[in-house]
Structures are given as C-alpha cells and as structure tokens.
Amino acid sequence: MSKIKVAVIFGGTSPEHDASLSSATNIIKNIPEDKYEVIAVGITKKGRWLYYPGDVSLLTTSRWESHPDCTPAVLSPDPIHNGFILLGEDSAIKKVDVIFPVLFGRNGTDGAIEGLCEMSGIPYVGSGIPASANCMDKDIANTILEANGIPTPRRIVVSRPDLKRMDDIASEVASRLGFPVFVKPACGGSSLGVSKAYDSEGLSNGIKLAFAHDNKVIVEECLTGRELECAVFGSDKPLSSPVGEVTFDGDFYNYDAKYVLGSTRLIAPAEIDETSEKAIRNMAVKVFTALDCCGFAMTSFFLSPTGEITFGEINTLPRMSNISLYPRLMKELGITLPEILDKLISLALERAEITTD
C-alpha cells in the first residue's frame, strides 16, 4: 500500500519563524516513516515558498533555503491540482494527501493558512478557519468563553485612535483594573510585544510596543497565582492531559523566558490537589469545545492562592520541539509524539471524509 503524503509547511514571515523551524524539525523526525511520506515546504522570512527535499537537520538554520535542490513552490488554491505547483525549469505538480501546518503567529494560527488549505480542497491538521481566527484574537476568545461561563481576566481593549487620549486610558485602567497590568497585542504569540506596566508611563510605553505587533491591544488585570498548562486532543470527545506547572525566572512568562534564557521549567504533573486538577482538565475541554477547536490545543490557566481558576490563553497550534510543553504533557497520558502525529493526521483525513459525505 502506498504511503500517505503529508506536506509539512514551516517557517513563515511572522517573528515566530525560528520557533516554527524547531517544531517542524521535531515533527518531521517523528512522523512514522512506515505510514507517511513527508513533503517539506518552507516559507522564508521574506515570504518565499520553497519545496525542500534536503536533510531535516538543516531546518533549524537558514542553510535550508540555499539547498541546491530547493524549488520555488506554491500551494495551488485550485482543487484540481490537489497539491503544490513546483516552479522550476519544468513546472510540475507535487500532489499531497494532507497538510500539516507548522506556522506560528500571523498567517499561521489566525486562519490564513487554514483558508488556503480549504480552497485547495486538501485536508489539514488542526482547527478550522473560525476557531483559529477566534482563538488568535484574545479579546474575541475571552468574549466567547465568558458567554460560556468560563472565568477570564478583566480587560480593557485599546484601539489606535485611543493613543490620542492616553491620560483617559490610564485613568480607566487605574480605576477598573489597578496597576500592575499586562499589555498585550490582541493577536500574537510567544509573548512577543507583551509587557507588564506598573504605572501610567509603563502603560503608555507598553501600549506603543504592543501596537508594533497588532492593531488592537489588550490591557489585562495582573492575576496572582500559579501558571498551569493543560494539553487537549481530539474532536467530538476531546481529552485533556494531566496538568503541568510552568515556572520561570523573571517578572513574567515573556519571550526571553520561553525561548532565550532557557529558564522555563515544566513540572509535570503539577503538584496541585485532586480537585483543582480535575477542575482544570474539565475547563480545558470546555474551552476547546466552546471555541470549536479540533485536533489539538494548549490551554493555560491561573490558579489563585484561594483556589480560583481563571482562563489564561489558548494556542491552536502548539509548539512541538523536543522541549515543548504539548508533547511532554501528552506523554503523561502515555501517548508518544509519533502516536500524537499519527492520530492528528488520521483525524484530519477523517474530518475531510465527513465533510465531503
């Protein structure tokens, strides 16, 4: 029987390009070779698409882009092609059976690549267009979850015209939320553009920083407590992993803590009471379902000293490097990374069959 052709799309133009390369490397290495044939397609930081037939070990560097066998390629939105158009000296079609997007941030987890996959008619791993877009926007995601009875942090939304009335914004933040607060791009990942403001000046600087990453900014109350993570997998009846706790050096869980300083530690399973463990796992599934997610997602929560649980955020395309939280938490369920990838691809194919029936 011929192998299922899986196109892994990696890289991208977002600031999370390098994180994508690490995850794609680990995914390609762990996709079961006896069942799947991997077609690797990378997107450079400048947005150029390249079919990459080279060694996977080169992906974590920029050397993959200059591989002599790289070929310009585009994912055809015409379903008749069912794959990628290779734009070398002799144009050709590289047909695939399923797409595994490993693109983070803008044009990756915001519904853009999912939309292109939908147009191509090719099944793809992960959540659909609305779920991806809604989860990417922290304000929209929290609004949906609040309507479903899930506690979320109090927040104030700031738009660009609000920059002309920063004194009013600062007064509103002080009276409604109180300092310190977190300032975040509404749509963003890896904590890029996120800051913690202790006063009006810090708030103003933080808002300007966040606007460098997005056109909508969230000012969020600073919750005290433990930061807990829960992986979710599935579709109609999703399951949640044991809860893990993230600890780190520094003032908050920012980009440097996640990727640069190497100070992040995951305690899995988290040392919490059974009641909190069960409540967080149940809430993670409820979040996943309320936002209409599919495949996999990483959810985070705050556990206050008094035992209150508040939703933090959701990532519909979790990192999959060899140190990432999602595979480590799923391992606590006894599910290895090759098994996760096999199940995700199978789920994508099954979903496509249901849609076309």
Side-chain angles (χ1 to χ4, degrees):
M1 187 172 71
S2 60
K3 295 182 180 180
I4 296 171
K5 294 180 173 61
V6 182
V8 175
I9 305 180
F10 60 89
T13 58
S14 86
E16 298 172 78
H17 178 97
D18 292 342
S20 168
L21 299 184
S22 297
S23 285
T25 298
N26 208 35
I27 287 171
I28 293 172
K29 286 182 177 178
N30 283 279
I31 289 180
E33 294 182 357
D34 61 330
K35 190 174 179 179
Y36 302 103
E37 175 188 342
V38 174
I39 290 91
V41 177
I43 303 175
T44 69
K45 291 181 178 180
K46 293 184 178 180
R48 190 182 184 206
W49 289 53
L50 298 172
Y51 164 62
Y52 174 69
D55 192 329
V56 66
S57 64
L58 297 181
L59 288 191
T60 53
T61 72
S62 59
R63 292 164 57 196
W64 72 269
E65 299 177 19
S66 57
H67 191 282
D69 294 327
C70 269
T71 305
V74 293
L75 175 59
S76 173
D78 189 336
I80 197 172
H81 293 140
N82 205 37
F84 295 83
I85 301 176
L86 305 186
L87 304 173
E89 293 182 4
D90 299 314
S91 295
I93 304 295
K94 195 76 172 178
K95 292 184 178 295
V96 299
D97 299 304
V98 61
I99 292 173
F100 200 132
V102 191
L103 299 171
F104 305 142
R106 194 170 299 278
N107 293 330
T109 49
D110 59 359
I113 187 64
E114 291 80 8
L116 184 53
C117 290
E118 291 278 1
M119 291 180 68
S120 74
I122 302 171
Y124 58 95
V125 170
S127 294
I129 301 170
S132 298
N134 290 339
C135 290
M136 182 74 168
D137 189 313
K138 298 175 180 64
D139 178 44
I140 293 175
N142 284 357
T143 300
I144 293 172
L145 295 179
E146 288 163 359
N148 283 270
I150 297 170
T152 67
R154 293 177 299 146
R155 67 192 183 281
I156 292 172
V157 179
V158 182
S159 60
R160 285 195 181 274
D162 291 327
L163 288 171
K164 298 177 182 178
R165 58 180 197 94
M166 284 306 304
D167 289 343
D168 293 337
I169 295 295
S171 296
E172 185 180 2
V173 168
S175 62
R176 287 182 52 191
L177 306 180
F179 287 102
V181 291
F182 286 112
V183 186
K184 308 176 178 182
C187 298
S190 295
S191 296
L192 289 164
V194 177
S195 61
K196 190 173 182 179
Y198 292 87
D199 52 31
S200 298
E201 183 179 359
L203 176 66
S204 178
N205 292 335
I207 289 175
K208 291 174 183 176
L209 171 65
F211 271 128
H213 294 266
D214 194 25
N215 288 318
K216 183 166 69 170
V217 170
I218 305 295
V219 181
E220 190 176 273
E221 68 173 318
C222 182
L223 295 173
T224 57
R226 300 163 69 177
E227 296 198 22
L228 302 171
E229 306 279 338
C230 187
V232 186
F233 170 85
S235 181
D236 296 334
K237 296 181 179 179
L239 56 88
S240 56
S241 73
V243 176
E245 180 172 11
V246 174
T247 64
F248 48 88
D249 297 332
D251 197 21
F252 68 99
Y253 195 29
N254 59 14
Y255 182 88
D256 285 347
K258 290 179 178 179
Y259 302 113
V260 179
L261 301 178
S263 62
T264 300
R265 297 171 293 278
L266 174 66
I267 302 170
E271 297 175 355
I272 57 177
D273 62 85
E274 186 177 342
T275 301
S276 296
E277 168 88 14
K278 183 177 180 180
I280 290 171
R281 292 184 67 171
N282 288 340
M283 192 178 291
V285 170
K286 189 174 181 180
V287 166
F288 189 87
T289 303
L291 291 168
D292 197 27
C293 296
C294 183
F296 59 160
M298 177 64 77
T299 58
S300 67
F301 301 89
F302 293 97
L303 178 63
S304 75
T306 56
E308 296 174 335
I309 300 167
T310 305
F311 169 77
E313 62 180 22
I314 184 169
N315 185 348
T316 55
L317 188 56
R319 309 300 183 260
M320 286 290 196
S321 73
N322 57 2
I323 61 170
S324 294
L325 303 182
Y326 190 92
R328 292 173 66 184
L329 288 177
M330 290 298 289
K331 191 175 181 180
E332 293 294 319
L333 278 179
I335 305 176
T336 65
L337 182 54
E339 291 171 333
I340 294 170
L341 300 175
D342 180 34
K343 291 176 183 291
L344 286 171
I345 295 168
S346 297
L347 184 60
L349 293 169
E350 291 169 8
R351 183 178 60 180
E353 289 178 2
I354 293 172
T355 303
T356 56
D357 283 347

